Amino acid sequence: MTADDEIIYLDNNATTQLDPAVIEEMLPFLTKYYGNPSNGYAFAARARKAVDLARGRLAALVGCAPSEIVLTSGGTESNNAVIHSALQFEPHGKHVVTSAVEHSAVLRPYQDLEKHGCAVMFLGVDRHGNVDLAELEAAIRPETALVSMMWANNETGVLFPVEKIAEICRQKGVLFHTDAVQAVGKIPIRLRDMAINFLSLSAHKFHGPKGVGALYVNRRTRFNPLIAGGGQENGRRGGTENVAGIAGLGKAAELAVKYLEERKCSIRSMRDRFEKAILESTGGTSVNGAGALRIPNTSSLSFEGIESPAALILLDRHGLCCSAGSACKTGSQEASHVLRAMNPNGDGARRSLRFSFGRFNSEAEVDHAIELVPRVIGKLRQMPAPAPVATAL
Ligand SMILES: Cc1ncc(COP(=O)(O)O)c(C=O)c1O
């Protein structure tokens, strides 16, 4: 076992370390200023101001008006809220379009809709993880209620051309939603220049707290709340606000703006250095999504002759945290649906590892990973293949 302080955390797409400044921002609202933002007295105004400040900071990060931000419990809620809302307003729009490589927080609600008679088109991707825009355009029908295409893939980091997709949807008069949970804080985003109707984001992916996020709803887009209640969030999301979490989200957004302006290349250079070194030292390795544009922090590598669950166990013993696919799938034996969509006939989905970097990683940690990963892969390749499981007749 490894002491917690000795781990090398290369799983920043699963979640990120809280920035100390974020914790500092949250603490007063967990201790001193516990008022309910909906109350009218001065004490509660402290909490209300914190929520307003956070909303403004988040709006600055994604380039929209503060009034277009609906605060939620995170990416999963935001995705569910959009899908729920779009179909409420289009009772005849029994058709939606999405991609086969979305996060389960989009796939699952769409699969549930399918069970209730909605036609869902899951667009495939090519071997690099790219979507075909002509295919997308052809998939949109007059009765299509919503198109959901993620901005950055959580497993491979592949970026979809969201600006072009938004424009296609605008021309066709269809609502467009993007799950940008893995893009926000990692690449610059200016929603006021784009034809996006809805965007989902989550604080814990950019050094904010878990259980808090937001949904951008374009000011001209109708929205029907998923959670009805006491009229909070201008009637768009009921429930007493998670003030400390929201304050943390706002601080994380402010720091992300600063980070994107000042040091946007350092994570990319760590990722690229790691990837290049592993490709050079470890034959039979390839980069999933190498032929596509990717977010700067993600490296999804496929290693011939290994099984990813075994690799994860060995790397964990050496204190290195990474994933086989998305965090939600880790622990299940199910191979990544993203990698299967990219290569349906190959076995890359069973032998891939995702390394994702963040701003708290150091060059020394990258050096350590560059030394450790080839050693672990080499060891696994020398092990005899597991015997096939006997099937009872
Ligand atoms: C692309 C994507 N969408 C949605 C989510 C869910 O976000 P949350 O954990 O805030 O519910 C995740 C989290 O892994 C994600 O990577």
Side-chain angles (χ1 to χ4, degrees):
M1 277 308 266
T2 319
D4 284 352
D5 55 0
E6 284 170 19
I7 63 152
I8 298 180
Y9 188 76
L10 297 185
D11 205 12
N12 287 274
N13 285 9
T15 195
T16 55
Q17 184 185 331
L18 274 180
D19 193 299
V22 168
I23 300 174
E24 215 173 290
E25 189 84 12
M26 293 171 70
L27 277 176
F29 302 98
L30 292 167
T31 52
K32 234 164 134 187
Y33 304 123
Y34 50 82
N36 184 326
S38 295
N39 282 122
Y41 37 79
F43 178 61
R46 304 294 285 246
R48 198 161 52 248
K49 274 194 187 142
V51 172
D52 291 345
L53 176 65
R55 196 187 307 280
R57 286 171 164 172
L58 186 56
L61 175 63
V62 294
C64 70
S67 60
E68 293 175 305
I69 297 283
V70 180
L71 297 161
T72 68
S73 68
T76 303
E77 183 190 321
S78 298
N79 288 339
N80 276 268
V82 172
I83 294 167
H84 167 87
S85 174
L87 280 132
Q88 292 257 316
F89 282 122
E90 304 277 347
H92 307 297
K94 290 263 181 194
H95 181 252
V96 288
V97 179
T98 188
S99 84
V101 296
E102 299 294 309
H103 188 271
S104 49
V106 166
L107 287 181
R108 281 297 308 277
Y110 277 134
Q111 285 160 352
D112 287 347
L113 282 182
E114 219 175 7
K115 288 183 200 141
H116 291 95
C118 183
V120 186
M121 177 72 168
F122 295 97
L123 287 181
V125 291
D126 67 13
R127 67 193 172 90
H128 305 294
N130 288 317
V131 73
D132 182 334
L133 294 184
E135 208 181 307
L136 167 73
E137 201 165 348
I140 298 173
R141 304 184 198 156
E143 72 273 23
T144 304
L146 180 65
V147 171
S148 286
M149 302 290 277
M150 69 202 311
W151 200 315
N153 189 276
N154 47 300
E155 294 190 26
T156 59
V158 169
L159 287 158
F160 277 167
V162 160
E163 197 162 358
K164 288 185 184 149
I165 297 172
E167 196 44 39
I168 291 172
C169 292
R170 191 188 63 76
Q171 281 171 16
K172 297 240 172 197
V174 176
L175 293 175
F176 175 54
H177 160 234
T178 184
D179 174 347
V181 165
Q182 295 291 348
V184 170
K186 294 176 187 163
I187 55 168
I189 293 179
R190 266 182 68 85
L191 285 166
R192 63 176 61 90
D193 297 339
M194 302 173 83
I196 291 173
N197 299 95
F198 304 107
L199 173 143
S200 309
L201 65 89
S202 180
H204 75 102
K205 306 293 183 176
F206 55 98
H207 306 286
K210 295 167 186 62
V212 60
L215 175 64
Y216 157 82
V217 182
N218 179 277
R219 71 188 76 186
R220 284 181 288 274
T221 304
R222 285 197 297 169
F223 177 71
N224 193 33
L226 173 67
I227 301 177
Q232 291 90 348
E233 293 299 291
N234 229 347
R236 293 172 300 179
R237 199 266 186 186
T240 302
E241 296 86 343
N242 167 10
V243 179
I246 292 168
L249 163 70
K251 189 66 188 176
E254 186 191 56
L255 295 169
V257 169
K258 206 161 142 255
Y259 184 81
L260 282 169
E261 277 168 8
E262 288 170 9
R263 305 176 47 202
K264 63 180 167 205
C265 289
S266 72
I267 292 177
R268 182 187 295 276
S269 72
M270 269 188 213
R271 190 274 310 264
D272 289 351
R273 185 164 80 81
F274 168 80
E275 212 164 72
K276 186 165 174 282
I278 301 297
L279 288 173
E280 279 170 9
S281 66
T282 316
T285 304
S286 55
V287 178
N288 299 313
L293 289 174
R294 290 181 291 154
I295 35 171
N297 80 320
T298 306
S299 182
S300 169
L301 301 179
S302 171
F303 298 97
E304 275 170 23
I306 68 146
E307 292 280 335
S308 32
L312 287 179
I313 293 169
L314 275 191
L315 289 168
D316 185 29
R317 279 195 199 146
H318 288 91
L320 194 147
C321 306
C322 64
S323 289
S326 70
C328 321
K329 287 276 170 62
T330 304
S332 83
Q333 290 297 308
E334 206 185 312
S336 152
H337 68 285
V338 175
L339 301 176
R340 273 190 284 131
M342 289 163 69
N343 187 0
N345 302 318
D347 62 349
R350 302 203 57 79
R351 45 189 182 76
S352 291
L353 296 173
R354 176 190 72 185
F355 304 89
S356 48
F357 298 79
R359 67 169 182 258
F360 290 109
N361 287 126
S362 65
E363 294 293 346
E365 288 175 332
V366 178
D367 289 341
H368 193 140
I370 286 173
E371 182 272 319
L372 178 66
V373 173
R375 207 154 34 91
V376 163
I377 300 298
K379 201 166 176 181
L380 287 168
R381 284 175 176 168
Q382 280 165 13
M383 286 181 179
V389 181
T391 319
L393 291 174

